[in-house]
Amino acid sequence: TTDDMYRMLRAGADKVSINTAAVLNPQLIEDGARRFGSQCIVLSVDARRVSAPGEPPRWAVFTHTGANPRPTGLDAIDWVRRGVELGAGEICINSMDADGQKSGYDLELLRAVAAAVPVPVIASGGVGSPEHMLRGLAEGNADAVLAASIFHFGEYSVADVKQYLRERGVAVRGV
């Protein structure tokens, strides 16, 4: 709810990311943007490739991801466009196919989302190395990159990744 958003923002969050709640109630995006500003609303999308080999690429939106993901019937590119129309100020796109694989982001998905919306795109799902993060920015056209397991399991530190990116010309904040 927007009251939940208010509590998170009052507790110090800069932004609120919504995923399943937005699919179930798209009005929540608009209500949150109207109350707090679009810059506070991040639409998070879990997408899985549904096109067959040889077909133009297509991705579907899922909710309740994890052991029992639920298909929504929504096309991921259409959904991110709609989310921005409703007021989302950023998109966090997670490739369910790449997530946890440590083989890199789905660059084709990233490029499709970045081309579809005029707001910043955050890449999620698939990072196994700092090089993958650089490729998400340089080749996937993401504005920001997200990683989890490489940090959780101590394979790389945030400082290591920032130094790697900085050495390759990416502007990053210090640690």
Side-chain angles (χ1 to χ4, degrees):
T1 68
T2 56
D3 288 340
D4 294 326
M5 292 177 190
Y6 177 77
R7 283 191 290 280
M8 287 182 252
L9 294 167
R10 290 284 297 169
D14 290 327
K15 300 174 185 294
V16 176
S17 176
I18 52 177
N19 188 329
T20 297
V23 171
L24 298 176
N25 177 16
Q27 185 65 41
L28 184 59
I29 301 168
E30 187 172 347
D31 293 347
R34 187 179 316 110
R35 186 168 173 190
F36 309 112
S38 290
Q39 80 286 349
C40 289
I41 307 301
V42 179
L43 176 60
S44 181
V45 178
D46 290 315
R48 177 174 281 158
R49 189 178 293 260
V50 293
S51 53
E55 291 181 351
R58 287 183 306 110
W59 298 268
V61 175
F62 285 75
T63 61
H64 303 87
T65 55
N68 297 305
R70 298 180 192 171
T72 65
L74 296 170
D75 175 85
I77 304 304
D78 292 341
W79 177 232
V80 297
R81 284 185 183 124
R82 174 115 189 274
V84 170
E85 288 170 4
L86 290 168
E90 291 184 22
I91 302 294
C92 181
I93 186 74
N94 179 54
S95 168
M96 294 172 63
D97 302 305
D99 200 20
Q101 301 302 306
K102 295 187 180 182
S103 57
Y105 299 114
D106 181 337
L107 298 175
E108 192 171 29
L109 172 60
L110 286 177
R111 285 189 294 268
V113 171
V117 296
V119 299
V121 173
I122 305 162
S124 177
V127 170
S129 71
E131 180 186 354
H132 293 151
M133 298 176 93
L134 179 63
R135 291 186 71 200
L137 296 164
E139 298 173 37
N141 301 327
D143 297 284
V145 289
L146 181 155
S149 60
I150 65 168
F151 299 130
H152 295 315
F153 300 117
E155 296 167 39
Y156 297 93
S157 70
V158 172
D160 293 336
V161 171
K162 286 187 172 200
Q163 182 63 30
Y164 175 90
L165 293 173
R166 192 176 293 109
E167 288 171 356
R168 285 150 184 85
V170 178
V172 294
R173 286 183 291 196
V175 178

